[in-house]
Amino acid sequence: MYEIIEEIIRRAGALVLSAHDIEDSVREKTSHCDLVTRYDSMVQDQLYRELLEAFPEAGFYGEEGDFCSIEGKSAHFIVDPIDGTTNFIRHARHSCISVGYRKDGVMEYGAVYQPYTDEMFTAQRGKGAFLNKTPIRMRNVPLSESIAMFGSAIYYRETIPATARIMSELLPIVLDFRRSGSAAMDICYVAAGRADVFFEACIRPWDYAAATLIAQEAGGVISALDGTPLRYIDRCSVAVGSPLNYPELIEIAKKVANEPDMKGRIR
C-alpha cells in the first residue's frame, strides 16, 4: 500500500518541478501573506484523483479549498499539495508535498517529499522513520544543545506576540534558530537530526499530520504547546522535540501562555 502512495507522491512532485510562469498564477486566499498558485490546486487535484483511484474506500482532507470528504470514512488522507507556497513562488526550491494517512483516529503513515532534492521522508506507525529508505533518528539533546526551528503562524496574526515571546525565552538557551518557510520540512529536519526542536503557535493538520508521525517514529515527542494531543481535524499549536528538550519547550510555552496578555494567543 505505502509503496503505491509514494509512487503517487513522486508523480505529483514531477508536476511541481515542471512549473513555469508561477508568478502569473498567484492569488491571495485569506490575506496578503496567504498565497496560492494554480499549481497548488493542480497538485492537489492530481493527488486526490490518484490516491482515491488506488484507495477508493478512503476520504480526503486537503488544504486547497479546505477540501474535506471524510464524513463516514474510517480512513482518510490529509494532504498539503505544496507546503511552502511562498518559497515556491520565489523559486527558493524549498517546498514539499505532504501526505498523511489516518485510520480509526490514528495516524498510520506519513510521507513528506521534497522534489527539488528528491528527499522522501516516510514513516509507518510502529515501524520507524526513514529518509529515502534509510532509517533516521532524532538527536536526544537538551535545549542548550539544540537548534530550534519554528513556524511564524503568520496567517493567524493574533498568535504573533506569543510566538515572539517563546522565541525570546528560547533564544538565550538554544544554539540557534532556523525558519525555512515549510513546517512539514522543519519537522522532518528535526526527525533527521538536522535540527532538534520545533514549535508553532497555530497550524493546520495538512501541515503537520505526516511530518509529526515521522518525528514520532524517529524517537520524538509531539503534542500541542499545552501538552495536549494534536487534533488533526482543526488548527492547533504544535510542539516537536526529543525526550530531553520537549519538556523544556513545553514548560516555556505554558509559562508564556499563562502571562496575562497572552491569553488565547496559542491555539
Side-chain angles (χ1 to χ4, degrees):
M1 170 182 181
Y2 301 120
E3 290 81 4
I4 295 172
I5 297 173
E6 291 169 30
E7 291 172 6
I8 291 170
I9 295 170
R10 286 186 182 277
R11 285 196 291 272
L15 179 56
V16 173
L17 294 176
S18 73
H20 58 89
D21 298 330
I22 299 169
E23 296 88 343
D24 295 337
S25 69
V26 177
R27 63 176 176 83
E28 293 183 8
K29 291 200 289 187
T30 61
S31 70
H32 74 282
C33 58
D34 187 6
L35 304 176
V36 66
T37 73
R38 68 172 175 268
Y39 292 99
D40 294 79
S41 298
M42 289 167 63
V43 172
Q44 179 165 299
D45 289 347
Q46 181 172 320
L47 289 167
Y48 174 80
R49 183 177 64 255
E50 295 195 18
L51 286 169
L52 296 195
E53 282 178 359
F55 308 99
E57 74 286 352
F60 190 94
Y61 185 26
E63 175 177 13
E64 299 315 319
D66 280 2
F67 183 85
C68 188
S69 63
I70 66 175
E71 187 174 352
K73 303 286 188 179
S74 63
H76 61 273
F77 294 99
I78 306 175
V79 174
D80 192 335
I82 302 179
D83 186 41
T85 296
T86 303
N87 288 343
F88 177 66
I89 293 167
R90 298 295 184 94
H91 303 279
R93 301 176 67 83
H94 190 81
S95 305
C96 66
I97 297 167
S98 176
V99 176
Y101 178 72
R102 193 168 182 244
K103 185 174 182 180
D104 297 326
V106 178
M107 288 302 305
E108 292 288 347
Y109 171 81
V112 174
Y113 181 51
Q114 216 285 36
Y116 299 104
T117 58
D118 193 29
E119 290 187 315
M120 178 79 78
F121 297 86
T122 59
Q124 182 180 351
R125 185 170 65 90
K127 300 294 180 64
F130 300 85
L131 170 54
N132 291 345
K133 307 298 184 183
T134 299
I136 55 175
R137 194 74 182 169
M138 188 180 295
R139 297 171 72 249
N140 189 20
V141 294
L143 279 181
S144 61
E145 299 175 27
S146 296
I147 292 175
M149 302 199 80
F150 73 101
S152 55
I154 200 68
Y155 307 154
Y156 309 110
R157 312 297 277 189
E158 71 277 7
T159 66
I160 291 174
T163 300
R165 279 288 297 116
I166 294 172
M167 289 176 63
S168 70
E169 291 285 332
L170 286 172
L171 191 55
I173 303 172
V174 300
L175 292 178
D176 204 351
F177 272 109
R178 301 285 186 269
R179 167 79 172 107
S180 79
S182 166
M185 289 302 304
D186 286 354
I187 295 168
C188 286
Y189 275 21
V190 172
R194 297 174 182 177
D196 306 293
V197 66
F198 171 87
F199 78 91
E200 187 156 358
C202 185
I203 190 171
R204 298 296 293 270
W206 44 73
D207 294 312
Y208 66 75
T212 49
L213 178 64
I214 292 165
Q216 188 173 28
E217 288 295 321
V221 186
I222 62 169
S223 73
L225 280 167
D226 61 2
T228 61
L230 299 177
R231 294 194 281 273
Y232 294 103
I233 198 63
D234 194 11
R235 59 182 181 171
C236 68
S237 60
V238 169
V240 178
S242 72
L244 280 178
N245 61 31
Y246 166 85
E248 298 175 273
L249 173 63
I250 294 298
E251 182 179 357
I252 289 171
K254 287 182 176 179
K255 172 187 171 185
V256 169
N258 287 328
E259 294 175 358
D261 57 343
M262 293 295 158
K263 298 295 184 182
R265 294 190 180 274
I266 299 175
R267 295 292 180 178

